[in-house]
């Protein structure tokens, strides 16, 4: 237990928050009145404001919404979802099931964001030292193979050979012209891994963690903020699975992840106005 | 421990989810391809889709975003935020601090939604039996005083005499013409409480929990879905406070909720394009 | 959100704890120096002291240890254990997996304690009104069948027809002469359920939750303390399963509860000195 | 997200646990019938059995009980306790408050165990290379100062200048003749830190985390098992504080850790029979 060192920001015990002012009848979120935001600022934009201190512009706002949508759910089989469902089957509260599900994101599952950013930062160090993006990607791939960090954080997937979420995010970043060195580097690393002789039998596409890590890097968001976006994004999925478990299934059932199927709507297209 | 009764939906162990299809290279959320949604559907709209099965129309979508924004954070003093900050000051992971914060919503704090819906449902039972909205409100107020459920769930606040979030939500619902019997009843109950002789010294305005409970009722959303929206909404706030605690303060500090102040931006207006 | 009413015990913000004194170089647990307790007081006895304020006598101490041992683990299939294992397989911290597992105890699983005590308290109300223990049991059984609370809290089990933990606890309480009206009533209710014509095809023995609820009643422990004993008891089991999952299995595996078996030591007898 | 590699222990999906056999009417914990253990094996001994696979002998059993008692509670001010109390003040369930409290043990608080073992293991590497325990301590102290890991994990305390729990544990280990190289090394390191010129103004005694880390090392327990003992030990304290908060205080109160005092029994001696 570390001795308590008073923080510089907390002289004589007084401390501060720059997030939210809360006083009788008035709530400011980073300076903007909350009631004025309501109906004019979307939830995705408010999340960005709260985490960074400023509202996003149109392009970045659209990318933030896309990132938040990308991780919203991944079906009934991820261990985190099974955590939430197993809690729900015992009749736990929704809060209990959701909190438990949030805890089901260890370093092998959603923990890639921080590690992937570290790898990309190492690559950008090479770039600032004069290497091209292409060469930096090749060097990184070599190191990862050497240290046996395969699959590298941000790459590969249990079953997607091309993660549709990553593909779409990087495409959207490109369309919106907010993809810069991090996104370029991660594409470069993806190509270098695909070309590496030691990995010729492996499929290691960029996955959604990697795409989010890269795009957040290009948006100037810290790895911690990127990590927060992942958690925020998945909470609706955890809640939805917990509720479905309690509404459709009997309590205290044995949940076999290998014995389930999707019985929701067939594939359908978005309404015209959204295209 | 209840004996295990196989669910009707789970013949011979096989079970189903109608939320998300997840197969190699293809993810459908309630039938819509996730990668198509990204960049075209906002996070708020995707949350509604996941929880209800359909995308919202424009008005309802705007109201959903407003509800999600309304509960996004409430400053550093709610006990749930202090739970997250106290976890964060020990150096916990972001997931740990957020999960802990979610658990800091007991029946006195965010648990009002379910109870408030119950009260409103009781009132609507009177209405369907022939009572006017106004008389139902008066009857409910009388019962709540009698059973000493004061403050009633959905009403009153530790320090707001007029909860700006509730005011704005009910106004927006009215503007968008989606306020119906639940919203009318909660306003009626608010007036009846204000008129009740036994409560002349109390300020019991509708609070944000009550407004959300009522509006969700008018939107045909179950109390459980309303409850989920609250949790989903507050997770960004919990994450932001945990991150601020770890970035600005020393570890293992004694967090005194009475000794803090806001040092964020002064009140400012939203950019023109959003008005 | 309920208005904040200052507690009578907290005049001008000052509050108290009667559990533990913690000052430089001195720690008292309910008055006893912690370092003196160490090596002289068992963990089970210290738990009882912390929760009730006094050290247990020899008989009660033995019963407390037995209750704590009775719920320590129940194998890999309870949903709470699967919660912990699913969190562990993602590489979560031990704290995360254990906390998640604790949340996997909803009202159908370990939540029986509080409900069972309620039923028994209802029965003892009848007894204090003049009914015999036997008649009270019969009346309770009738009510539970009528309101379809079958299985009643504290009775029945997913697969034990005679819960060995409940049998042993009630026997030990009898040997130690600490079984009184609660234990007598629960046995009476067990017999009444067995005799009830509507339940002739059901096996509804007292289960461990019921035995603990009854014995705690006879020991004068509140339902909340009984509930605490359950949680405290199961935490070692959750930790052990999380550790085994991380030590023996690959990360991110699909955990099928129907596809496991025990491969630990065969049944063996306790060493001589313990008999 | 790492691709799923089937574990060697899980051919064709079948997996095993060596902890607990659970079948109708029979429960074995590491081979011992649970109902036989009840009344004959203490909770502390059962914890050791579950985590290691064997019952402890008398000396080790006594030390395990002492370690579990040592960390059972540390008053109302540790952040983990404030996490539990803040959850409890909102009316959360006991499980919710306890789970939240468990999450309040980050790397600065109870996370020292794993880090401290690492330091001690580094020192023992020196010893196996021929250094004396004394020289290894001095070398370690030098390294820790150089890398500014002050206070080192397992040393120092927010306010104890001599942690009574650590003193008692190391003494008891010595009396029971189970202190070996880890305990000797930690004492050596303590002396070396005290003698180091750069630390002449600091008080860095071994703390309870360090003592537990060392003793578990001497008992052949892995750092993970030592970590589990800490969590298991503190759960009763978290539960007791959550219950006291809900029983003595009003809901939704602002909990100021600087404004509390102990009002439990004055210091008292253990009953005669325990000395």
């Amino acid at each position: 237990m570390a001795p308590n060192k008073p923080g510089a920001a907390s002289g004589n015990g007084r401390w501060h928050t720059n997030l939210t002012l809360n006083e009788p009848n008035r709530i400011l979120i980073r300076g903007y009145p909350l009631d004025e935001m309501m109906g004019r600022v979307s939830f995705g934009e408010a999340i960005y404001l709260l985490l960074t201190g400023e509202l996003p512009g149109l392009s970045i706002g659209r990318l933030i919404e896309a990132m938040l949508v990308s991780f919203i759910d991944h079906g009934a089989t991820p261990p985190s979802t099974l955590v939430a469902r197993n809690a729900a089957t015992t009749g736990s509260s929704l809060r209990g099931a959701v909190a438990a599900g949030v805890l089901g994101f260890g370093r092998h599952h959603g923990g890639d964001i921080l590690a992937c950013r570290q790898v990309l930062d190492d690559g950008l160090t090479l770039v600032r030292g004069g290497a091209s993006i292409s060469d930096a990607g090749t060097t990184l791939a070599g190191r990862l193979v050497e240290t046996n960090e395969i699959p590298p954080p941000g790459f590969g997937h249990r079953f997607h050979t091309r993660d549709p979420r990553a593909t779409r995010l990087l495409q959207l970043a490109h369309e919106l012209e907010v993809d810069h060195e991090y996104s370029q580097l991660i594409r470069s690393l993806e190509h270098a891994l695909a070309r590496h002789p030691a990995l010729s039998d492996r499929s290691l596409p960029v996955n959604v963690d990697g795409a989010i890590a890269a795009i957040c890097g290009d948006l100037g968001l810290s790895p911690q903020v990127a990590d927060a976006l992942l958690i925020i994004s998945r909470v609706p999925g955890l809640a939805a699975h917990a509720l479905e478990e309690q509404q459709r299934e009997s309590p205290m059932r044995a949940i076999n992840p290998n014995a389930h199927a999707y019985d929701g709507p067939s594939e359908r297209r978005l309404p015209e106005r959204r295209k």
Side-chain angles (χ1 to χ4, degrees), chain A:
Chain A
M1 280 150 287
N4 189 24
K5 298 183 297 298
S10 306
N12 65 283
R14 194 155 189 79
W15 56 283
H16 297 88
T17 176
N18 57 24
L19 301 173
T20 300
L21 169 77
N22 194 359
E23 54 183 34
N25 306 344
R26 187 165 84 122
I27 303 169
L28 305 181
I29 305 280
R30 300 281 201 168
Y32 294 106
L34 181 55
D35 51 341
E36 283 187 37
M37 289 170 58
M38 292 162 54
R40 301 185 185 92
V41 174
S42 73
F43 185 43
E45 295 171 320
I47 289 167
Y48 183 91
L49 169 69
L50 188 56
L51 288 174
T52 68
E54 296 300 329
L55 286 163
L58 281 171
S59 295
I60 291 176
R62 204 168 151 217
L63 205 39
I64 294 290
E65 301 275 11
M67 285 194 286
L68 287 166
V69 170
S70 74
F71 207 72
I72 201 176
D73 192 48
H74 203 225
T77 52
S80 49
T81 308
L82 292 165
V83 166
R85 282 186 172 264
N86 272 288
T89 195
T90 74
S92 76
S93 67
L94 184 60
R95 284 150 182 63
V98 167
V102 168
L103 295 171
F105 280 94
R107 66 184 181 284
H108 303 298
H109 180 37
D112 276 13
I113 282 261
L114 299 174
C116 184
R117 267 296 282 272
Q118 187 58 61
V119 169
L120 297 178
D121 285 334
D122 291 347
L124 291 181
T125 299
L126 298 172
V127 169
R128 287 186 195 106
S132 66
I133 292 269
S134 173
D135 288 345
T138 304
T139 304
L140 284 179
R143 285 183 193 170
L144 291 163
V145 170
E146 223 172 77
T147 54
N148 200 24
E149 277 183 77
I150 299 299
F155 289 85
H157 197 273
R158 286 178 293 143
F159 53 83
H160 297 309
T161 54
R162 192 135 207 81
D163 186 337
R165 304 163 296 176
T167 305
R168 175 63 177 145
L169 275 179
L170 289 168
Q171 171 197 30
L172 192 61
H174 186 70
E175 285 174 16
L176 296 169
E177 298 179 349
V178 295
D179 61 333
H180 305 299
E181 50 181 16
Y182 277 95
S183 301
Q184 294 161 17
L185 179 60
I186 208 171
R187 290 180 187 273
S188 163
L189 177 50
E190 185 185 40
H191 295 148
L193 289 166
R195 282 191 328 257
H196 197 292
L199 303 172
S200 55
D201 64 319
R202 298 289 301 261
S203 171
L204 291 170
V206 176
N207 64 36
V208 68
D209 295 19
I212 290 176
I215 290 170
C216 284
D218 284 335
L219 294 182
L221 302 176
S222 71
Q224 288 72 33
V225 166
D227 200 30
L229 293 177
L230 273 205
I231 300 171
I232 291 164
S233 172
R234 186 54 64 89
V235 163
L238 296 171
H241 279 276
L243 288 180
E244 186 185 41
E245 180 64 40
Q246 291 184 336
Q247 286 157 8
R248 295 186 67 173
E249 306 291 343
S250 290
M252 296 300 288
R253 73 173 181 111
I255 304 176
N256 178 1
N258 298 328
H260 93 286
Y262 172 72
D263 69 349
S266 310
E267 184 167 340
R268 47 178 170 163
R269 301 268 75 79
L270 290 174
E272 258 317 304
R273 68 174 178 85
R274 292 179 178 278
K275 302 197 180 171

